[in-house]
Amino acid sequence: MRNLLLTLRYDGTHFHGWQIQNNGDTVEARVKAAFNSVSGKSENIIGCSRTDAGVHANMFCCNVRTDCTVPADKIPNALNFYLPESISVYDCREVDFDFHARFNAKGKEYVYLIYNDKYRNPFYENKALFYPYPLDVNEMNKNAKDFIGTFDFSAFCSADSEVQDKVREISECKAEKDGNLIKITVRGNGFLYNMVRIMVGTLLYIQNGKIESGTIPQIIESKDRNRAGVTAKPEGLYLNKVFY
């Protein structure tokens, strides 16, 4: 037996997230089926995280403990033969047998993309949030920095979450503009359910005057989900990096 770490990227537009579900197609189900086709056995795939329906990944890691004898450097091409074009495995390596893609992750980086223009761009459809109103990136960046630190992020967590400990450390949160595209980067040691999307929604609410600028620290302190902004749509969110 050996433990293989797979690294892949995927377009989540037509998937119901990563985790296998009974009510829709998922990335995990496709990767599991592909690996089973390669190994000839039913293998258990362990993902580094869950992603919601419509969310994408530039880097997603998962591990599988298997007695498959295919060399690690041959596995990406073997898996990609069975995977749809929306999923691509681009690395495979052997790791310690006790390595766990989720529990061994030291942190993650998410990117949220906003296409900010009066008119839609079909090349960003389902790949970025279309936002046709003016955005002040300098003001967004100023408020984004208030997320940096170690806090109880209860106000930025979906009410559906059953996680008890909502303290997380955010080491980077910034907004950058490149033409009509705005990129919000958030890096931390862990994230709550819908946390990044609520952070983005709060920054957008500040922009349109629904939340006062400079009040993110008070919202964090309140631990009140109702004081934060809307949960931004999933199509702009990417799991960008996983750190081990």
Side-chain angles (χ1 to χ4, degrees):
M1 295 288 288
R2 57 185 180 148
N3 193 9
L4 299 177
L5 173 62
L6 307 175
T7 307
L8 55 143
R9 55 175 64 96
Y10 57 82
D11 173 355
T13 301
H14 300 296
F15 293 107
H16 289 244
W18 161 261
Q19 190 171 20
I20 290 178
Q21 302 177 27
N22 294 324
N23 63 343
D25 195 8
T26 68
V27 180
E28 181 184 11
R30 293 299 190 105
V31 174
K32 180 180 175 69
F35 204 99
N36 292 349
S37 295
V38 171
S39 70
K41 298 183 179 180
S42 180
E43 308 282 10
N44 182 38
I45 306 293
I46 301 171
C48 66
S49 180
R50 300 178 182 181
T51 57
D52 291 336
V55 173
H56 316 291
N58 290 319
M59 177 183 181
F60 190 97
C61 298
C62 56
N63 69 287
V64 54
R65 297 181 178 100
T66 178
D67 58 6
C68 175
T69 58
V70 177
D73 63 339
K74 303 295 184 184
I75 285 180
N77 278 335
L79 292 177
N80 289 336
F81 177 81
Y82 294 101
L83 288 169
E85 292 182 351
S86 51
I87 305 173
S88 176
V89 177
Y90 60 90
D91 190 63
C92 176
R93 64 189 65 187
E94 292 195 35
V95 291
D96 292 340
F97 196 75
D98 61 354
F99 176 88
H100 191 288
R102 179 182 174 190
F103 297 142
N104 284 99
K106 297 184 181 298
K108 299 183 181 75
E109 178 182 281
Y110 284 89
V111 163
Y112 196 95
L113 298 181
I114 301 171
Y115 186 74
N116 187 214
D117 190 70
K118 291 190 298 182
Y119 308 107
R120 289 186 176 275
N121 184 331
F123 294 104
Y124 285 109
E125 195 71 21
N126 296 319
K127 302 296 188 298
L129 174 69
F130 171 58
Y131 195 85
Y133 311 106
L135 290 174
D136 183 340
V137 177
N138 290 331
E139 183 70 14
M140 291 181 74
N141 204 33
K142 175 184 174 183
N143 283 282
K145 291 178 180 177
D146 286 335
F147 286 117
I148 298 174
T150 302
F151 307 111
D152 184 322
F153 280 97
S154 295
F156 296 88
C157 178
S158 171
D160 296 334
S161 175
E162 298 179 355
V163 174
Q164 298 300 312
D165 181 8
K166 295 184 172 63
V167 175
R168 298 292 186 273
E169 179 185 1
I170 298 300
S171 57
E172 182 178 30
C173 188
K174 62 182 181 181
E176 302 170 285
K177 183 177 177 64
D178 182 8
N180 293 328
L181 198 65
I182 294 173
K183 180 173 75 171
I184 299 173
T185 303
V186 186
R187 182 182 295 188
N189 66 350
F191 293 89
L192 302 168
Y193 183 38
N194 284 344
M195 181 172 162
V196 176
R197 290 168 60 190
I198 298 171
M199 292 167 70
V200 172
T202 301
L203 292 174
L204 292 176
Y205 262 31
I206 291 173
Q207 288 288 295
N208 62 30
K210 293 183 179 180
I211 293 177
E212 186 178 349
S213 181
T215 59
I216 286 176
Q218 290 95 310
I219 297 172
I220 293 173
E221 187 176 1
S222 75
K223 303 178 186 178
D224 183 358
R225 172 67 186 92
N226 294 320
R227 291 191 59 182
V230 68
T231 303
K233 293 182 178 181
E235 60 261 30
L237 185 61
Y238 297 73
L239 176 55
N240 196 48
K241 295 178 182 177
V242 184
F243 302 101
Y244 290 105

